[in-house]
């Protein structure tokens, strides 16, 4: 065991965070710590880190256990040093050795026959080699680049970077320290998709244990093998990823509800018996025994829903024309940084678009260009009857700081009653007296939620949303997803939350090579398509490499003027027919692969279900089906790559 809680109770004044909790963290565990906002997840991490002491119970930790804790309070750290220097402070002993070796080397130059100096110098070199100290620059650069920093940024001062980028530097430092237990509080906040994917891959092979607080379901599903939920002041442990937790929790709640109802029936029956017979001498002893049994019974608690499933409903007053907005020959630059260049894009009625790409590609800039809030070279054409509502971080400045949260919502002209507005604000984590707080006393995250609620309550038929889930917990995010799926209008959103994108978008826009590339399909289909393209290109490069000499004469022949176009005509027709055939086969294989992937996911879920292992026949069938589906999928992917290569060759001929 690395660390643990044993019958721990922790209180902030009169508020109980956790009561009589036991949780032990073993080596090489990947744990997701979840719970509603404000329940105390970050407080639990601070208990493990030693920042707080429990009110009751004991905190357990092995003497040799090292702990790294990444949290938002680290943003108060500041320095003039470069981000490379800050990250390299992870190697404190190695940096000290570098200075010692340099100093000993200079002394040996002057006194090269001093045997004691030579021994010290040799020992220092040996320790440096043991600590792998000669690779620290390379390792640090590799980690920083993986987290999204360009080579040119590595020597820039730490204080020049925004909060999100500073947090990445401190995360890099913590990763390089390689503690036995890594505690990460919202590590994916302010990260773009490539950086999140890199962090996933890195942490999956991390040699220590990791506890993660995150609202990113995709990240948790791919990262963790255990979920610990802080719910109603208790810790509930689930041995699986987030999807397993969702299924298992429903089953546990149903079992507890049935057990509670059965116990209540039994209690009522015993109480009726006692009431009826305790006055009768012949039954008094039996009635007394029943009373004693009821006193000793271990009462099962009713299942309480901590937060009700309130619905968010959009209203759309006007139906827009077929085309909502068009960018024509749009070009935008910030000095030497080119965002888009001579690009064109169109948003149609019914489009639900996710705009994705690495940080610095200009996603928010493109969103502002379409909203008319950012000047650019080119043209933006607005459609008929379009009523937009734009949510972005800078919208917080439009809030009247002297209003209460409820008063700010009343100014939206939504014609909703105060009760309806209170219900809506409950979805955005403002409950009870919170709606009477002044805007000026709210935190940045709370102000962002008010601005988002104002966007939602408008009757717009076109929404522009910049990172709408940044300050929402999982429950509120699910409610927003449900609302956007029912929304009759169109929207364009920027988000790094892959689960949110996957559940809401029917089109993907990617900024690549200063162009907006459109993919008509869901996020998961886009990921599959990108992976297949990468695999196909890699396969094509391998195939083309040994065959490099033969194409040379063809290029020479193409330089010579063709004697007559007539003989080539029948070849082109045959090639065209073959191309059409291969394209049809390509589409069939795409559909087949998608179906097989779905089947594989279902079978994996079945194999992850403990109930499968209780029935031998069911387990054998699931395992056999899974092997067959995996083989079929591998064959389909091989065929897909071959067909893709044929199509590429035929397109060259035509």
């Amino acid at each position: 065991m690395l660390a643990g809680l044993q019958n721990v109770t922790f209180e902030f004044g009169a508020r109980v965070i956790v009561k009589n909790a036991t949780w032990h963290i073993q080596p090489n565990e990947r744990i997701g710590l979840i719970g509603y906002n404000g329940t105390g997840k970050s407080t639990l991490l601070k208990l493990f880190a030693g920042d707080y002491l429990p009110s009751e119970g004991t905190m357990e930790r092995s003497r040799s256990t090292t702990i790294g804790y990444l949290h938002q309070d680290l943003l108060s750290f500041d320095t003039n040093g470069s981000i490379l220097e800050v990250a390299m402070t992870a190697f404190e002993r190695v940096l000290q050795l570098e200075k010692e070796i340099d100093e000993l080397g200079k002394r040996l130059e002057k006194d090269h026959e001093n045997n004691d100096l030579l021994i010290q110098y040799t020992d220092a070199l040996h320790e440096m080699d043991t600590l792998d100290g000669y690779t620290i620059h390379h390792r640090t650069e590799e980690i920083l680049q993986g987290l999204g920093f360009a080579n040119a940024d590595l020597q820039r001062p730490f204080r020049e970077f925004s909060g999100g980028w500073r947090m990445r530097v401190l995360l890099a430092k913590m990763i390089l320290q390689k503690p036995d237990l890594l505690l990460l509080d919202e590590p994916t906040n302010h990260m773009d998709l490539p950086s999140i994917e890199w962090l996933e891959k890195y942490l999956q092979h991390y040699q220590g244990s990791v506890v993660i607080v995150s609202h990113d379901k995709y990240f948790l599903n791919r990262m963790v093998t255990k979920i610990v939920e802080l719910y109603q002041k208790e810790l509930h442990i689930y041995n699986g990823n987030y999807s397993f937790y969702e299924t298992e929790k429903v089953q546990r709640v149903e079992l507890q509800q049935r057990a509670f109802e059965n116990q209540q029936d039994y209690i009522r029956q015993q109480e009726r018996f006692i009431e009826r017979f305790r006055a009768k001498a012949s039954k008094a002893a039996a009635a007394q025994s029943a009373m004693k049994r009821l006193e000793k019974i271990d009462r099962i608690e009713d299942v309480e829903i901590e937060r009700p499933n309130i619905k968010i409903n959009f209203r759309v007053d006007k139906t827009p024309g077929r085309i909502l907005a068009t960018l024509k020959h749009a070009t935008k630059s910030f000095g030497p940084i080119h965002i888009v260049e001579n690009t064109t894009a169109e948003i149609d009625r019914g489009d639900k678009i996710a705009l994705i790409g690495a940080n610095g590609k200009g996603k928010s800039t493109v969103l502002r260009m379409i909203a008319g809030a950012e000047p650019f070279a080119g043209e933006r054409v607005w459609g008929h009857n379009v009523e937009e509502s734009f949510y972005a971080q800078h919208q917080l400045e439009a809030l009247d700081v002297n209003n209460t949260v409820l008063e700010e919502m009343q100014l939206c002209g939504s014609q909703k009653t105060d009760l309806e507005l209170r219900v809506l604000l409950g979805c955005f984590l403002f409950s009870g007296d919170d709606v009477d707080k002044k805007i000026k006393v709210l935190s940045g995250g709370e102000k962002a939620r008010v601005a988002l609620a104002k966007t939602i309550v408008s009757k717009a038929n076109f929404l522009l949303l910049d990172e709408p889930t940044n300050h929402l917990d999982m429950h509120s995010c699910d409610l927003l997803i449900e609302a956007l799926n029912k929304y009759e209008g169109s929207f364009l959103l920027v988000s790094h939350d892959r689960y949110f994108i996957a559940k809401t978008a029917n089109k993907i826009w990617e900024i690549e090579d200063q162009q907006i590339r459109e993919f008509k399909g869901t996020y998961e289909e886009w990921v599959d398509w990108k992976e297949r393209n990468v695999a196909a290109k890699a396969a094509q490069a391998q195939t083309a490499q040994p065959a490099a000499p033969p194409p040379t004469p063809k290029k020479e022949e193409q330089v010579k003027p063709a004697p007559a176009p007539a003989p080539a005509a029948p070849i082109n027709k045959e090639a065209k027919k073959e191309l059409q055939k291969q394209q049809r086969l390509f589409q069939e294989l795409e559909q087949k692969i998608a179906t097989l992937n779905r089947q594989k996911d279902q079978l994996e879920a079945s194999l992850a279900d403990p109930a499968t292992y209780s029935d031998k026949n069911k387990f054998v069938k699931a395992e056999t089906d899974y092997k067959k589906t995996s083989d079929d999928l591998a064959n389909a992917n091989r065929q897909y790559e071959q067909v893709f290569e044929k199509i590429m060759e035929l397109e060259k001929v035509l």
Side-chain angles (χ1 to χ4, degrees):
M1 183 189 74
L2 295 175
L5 313 175
Q6 188 66 40
N7 301 323
V8 163
T9 296
F10 183 78
E11 300 158 335
F12 266 132
R15 184 188 169 208
V16 178
I17 301 297
V18 68
K19 189 174 182 181
N20 198 30
T22 297
W23 171 21
H24 296 128
I25 299 173
Q26 305 299 334
N28 298 312
E29 283 195 312
R30 300 285 181 274
I31 303 168
L33 177 58
I34 66 170
Y36 295 130
N37 276 2
T39 52
K41 301 184 295 296
S42 298
T43 303
L44 272 184
L45 294 186
K46 288 178 179 178
L47 278 169
F48 278 109
D51 294 350
Y52 294 145
L53 293 174
S55 310
E56 294 177 20
T58 56
M59 290 296 307
E60 300 174 346
R61 186 195 299 180
S62 166
R63 285 186 180 181
S64 60
T65 298
T66 54
I67 294 179
Y69 177 30
L70 180 83
H71 52 96
Q72 303 303 316
D73 296 345
L74 289 172
L75 290 176
S76 59
F77 172 75
D78 199 6
T79 178
N80 282 320
S82 70
I83 61 170
L84 185 63
E85 290 169 346
V86 172
M88 284 180 62
T89 56
F91 305 105
E92 190 176 345
R93 177 57 186 154
V94 172
L95 295 174
Q96 185 183 348
L97 276 171
E98 282 183 345
K99 290 179 182 177
E100 288 178 13
I101 290 168
D102 186 51
E103 186 182 337
L104 287 166
K106 288 176 181 176
R107 289 171 64 187
L108 275 170
E109 284 177 7
K110 297 176 182 177
D111 188 9
H112 56 272
E113 293 189 3
N114 188 323
N115 199 46
D116 290 338
L117 273 181
L118 187 60
I119 290 170
Q120 289 177 44
Y121 185 72
T122 306
D123 288 346
L125 288 175
H126 177 69
E127 188 179 353
M128 176 71 88
D129 193 46
T130 304
L131 294 172
D132 198 16
Y134 300 108
T135 65
I136 63 169
H137 289 80
H138 170 71
R139 281 186 280 158
T140 306
E141 288 173 3
E142 187 179 38
I143 297 289
L144 288 169
Q145 287 163 6
L147 288 170
F149 290 97
N151 273 331
D153 293 331
L154 301 185
Q155 298 301 330
R156 283 177 56 194
F158 178 80
R159 62 174 42 180
E160 284 186 10
F161 290 86
S162 65
W165 288 99
R166 288 187 184 194
M167 192 56 75
R168 293 195 204 191
V169 177
L170 299 174
L171 174 60
K173 175 186 171 182
M174 205 156 292
I175 288 172
L176 288 163
Q177 286 173 328
K178 295 183 179 178
D180 301 318
L181 176 57
L182 197 53
L183 307 173
L184 303 177
D185 195 353
E186 295 288 358
T188 60
N189 270 8
H190 311 294
M191 276 193 188
D192 54 19
L193 291 178
S195 299
I196 293 172
E197 288 166 358
W198 179 89
L199 182 62
E200 277 175 1
K201 289 173 185 173
Y202 187 89
L203 291 179
Q204 281 166 356
H205 299 96
Y206 187 72
Q207 294 301 306
S209 292
V210 185
V211 178
I212 302 164
V213 172
S214 178
H215 294 145
D216 187 332
K217 292 185 183 180
Y218 259 51
F219 186 67
L220 290 175
N221 265 337
R222 292 163 72 100
M223 263 301 304
V224 307
T225 54
K226 180 184 285 187
I227 292 288
V228 176
E229 182 187 28
L230 178 53
Y231 180 67
Q232 295 179 341
K233 304 178 184 63
E234 293 181 354
L235 294 180
H236 303 267
I237 297 174
Y238 298 81
N239 291 310
N241 63 10
Y242 189 83
S243 294
F244 173 82
Y245 150 78
E246 286 186 301
T247 307
E248 181 72 11
K249 183 173 183 179
V250 171
Q251 293 173 356
R252 289 190 191 184
V253 167
E254 287 174 353
L255 285 171
Q256 186 180 342
Q257 185 65 36
R258 284 200 294 270
F260 171 78
E261 290 168 357
N262 290 338
Q263 190 181 67
Q264 290 300 305
D265 288 342
Y266 172 76
I267 290 169
R268 283 191 292 270
Q269 182 186 7
Q270 294 298 307
E271 286 173 344
R272 284 197 300 270
F273 176 82
I274 294 164
E275 187 67 28
R276 184 175 177 186
F277 294 113
R278 67 182 171 183
K280 290 188 178 182
S282 60
K283 297 285 186 179
Q288 285 295 323
S289 296
M291 287 177 69
K292 288 178 181 177
R293 282 198 301 272
L294 282 184
E295 287 171 5
K296 291 179 180 177
I297 197 170
D298 188 8
R299 302 277 174 139
I300 298 170
E301 292 185 9
D302 191 9
V303 180
E304 296 177 13
I305 303 299
E306 189 169 290
R307 290 184 49 209
N309 282 318
I310 307 165
K311 305 294 181 186
I312 304 175
N313 292 313
F314 290 97
R315 288 175 62 186
V316 175
D317 273 1
K318 294 179 182 177
T319 302
R322 188 183 68 80
I323 299 172
L324 276 72
T326 306
L327 283 181
K328 293 184 177 180
H329 309 295
T331 297
K332 178 67 182 179
S333 300
F334 291 104
I337 301 169
H338 297 284
I339 304 299
V340 289
E341 191 168 342
N342 196 30
T343 193
T344 297
E346 183 178 276
I347 301 169
D348 297 330
R349 186 175 61 232
D351 278 354
K352 298 187 174 183
I353 304 169
L355 177 56
I356 64 177
N359 276 356
K361 291 287 187 180
K363 303 183 295 294
S364 296
T365 302
V366 169
L367 204 65
R368 292 196 301 272
M369 286 163 59
I370 292 170
E374 184 74 47
F376 64 95
E379 188 180 4
R380 183 203 72 162
V381 181
W382 212 237
H384 174 67
N385 262 355
V386 176
E387 292 185 350
E388 85 280 13
S389 187
F390 182 29
Y391 168 76
Q393 297 299 320
H394 74 270
Q395 298 295 100
L396 310 190
E397 299 164 10
L399 299 176
D400 188 333
V401 295
N402 295 313
N403 283 337
T404 65
V405 174
L406 186 59
E407 286 169 347
E408 190 68 21
M409 294 297 294
Q410 288 167 341
L411 296 174
C412 294
S414 64
Q415 299 176 347
K416 286 183 180 290
T417 65
D418 283 2
L419 179 60
E420 288 173 323
L421 290 174
R422 283 176 181 274
V423 167
L424 177 68
L425 286 166
C427 303
F428 293 94
L429 314 181
F430 294 102
S431 56
D433 295 337
D434 291 343
V435 301
D436 296 319
K437 287 182 179 177
K438 295 280 188 183
I439 299 294
K440 61 185 173 186
V441 303
L442 300 181
S443 67
E446 287 171 327
K447 287 176 182 174
R449 295 202 300 271
V450 174
L452 180 57
K454 286 183 68 176
T455 304
I456 298 303
V457 84
S458 71
K459 298 175 184 177
N461 52 32
F462 180 39
L463 303 177
L464 297 115
L465 307 171
D466 193 359
E467 297 288 1
T469 63
N470 257 9
H471 302 283
L472 299 181
D473 63 13
M474 287 180 180
H475 182 72
S476 298
C477 185
D478 285 339
L479 294 176
L480 182 57
I481 288 168
E482 185 181 347
L484 288 173
N485 285 333
K486 291 179 181 176
Y487 178 51
E488 294 176 0
S490 305
F491 60 74
L492 175 63
L493 63 87
V494 170
S495 178
H496 68 269
D497 187 330
R498 291 162 294 175
Y499 177 79
F500 182 70
I501 293 172
K503 293 295 182 184
T504 55
N506 60 20
K507 272 188 185 178
I508 303 296
W509 278 10
E510 183 183 17
I511 302 174
E512 190 177 32
D513 300 327
Q514 288 88 49
Q515 296 294 310
I516 297 172
R517 313 285 188 194
E518 182 179 280
F519 176 84
K520 294 180 180 178
T522 65
Y523 175 74
E524 288 172 342
E525 290 170 338
W526 175 80
V527 170
D528 287 343
W529 175 75
K530 290 281 280 189
E531 287 175 353
R532 289 199 301 270
N533 274 358
V534 169
K537 285 176 182 175
Q540 188 182 6
Q542 279 184 337
T543 309
Q545 198 169 3
T552 310
K554 287 187 180 178
K555 287 183 181 177
E556 290 171 2
E557 287 169 13
Q558 285 173 1
V559 174
K560 298 174 185 177
I571 298 169
N572 284 342
K573 284 181 182 177
E574 287 174 15
K576 192 171 183 179
K577 284 180 184 177
E578 182 62 23
L579 177 61
Q580 290 170 347
K581 178 185 171 184
Q582 294 298 327
Q583 285 172 337
R584 282 195 299 272
L585 183 56
F586 188 78
Q587 290 174 349
E588 289 169 7
L589 285 167
E590 272 191 328
Q591 292 170 359
K592 184 178 180 181
I593 288 167
T595 303
L596 287 168
N597 274 319
R598 284 194 295 272
Q599 289 174 2
K600 188 180 178 187
D601 289 343
Q602 290 167 1
L603 288 165
E604 283 176 347
S606 176
L607 286 168
D609 185 356
T612 303
Y613 297 87
S614 62
D615 185 336
K616 182 182 177 182
N617 294 332
K618 189 176 179 181
F619 167 68
V620 170
K621 185 177 184 308
E623 192 175 39
T624 305
D625 290 348
Y626 180 76
K627 187 176 184 307
K628 184 179 182 305
T629 303
S630 298
D631 291 342
D632 290 347
L633 184 59
N635 289 332
N637 277 318
R638 277 196 294 273
Q639 290 177 37
Y640 184 90
E641 289 172 12
Q642 291 167 1
V643 171
F644 182 83
E645 288 174 26
K646 285 182 183 177
I647 290 172
M648 295 291 287
E649 290 170 9
L650 289 165
E651 283 178 346
K652 284 180 184 176
V653 173
L654 291 169

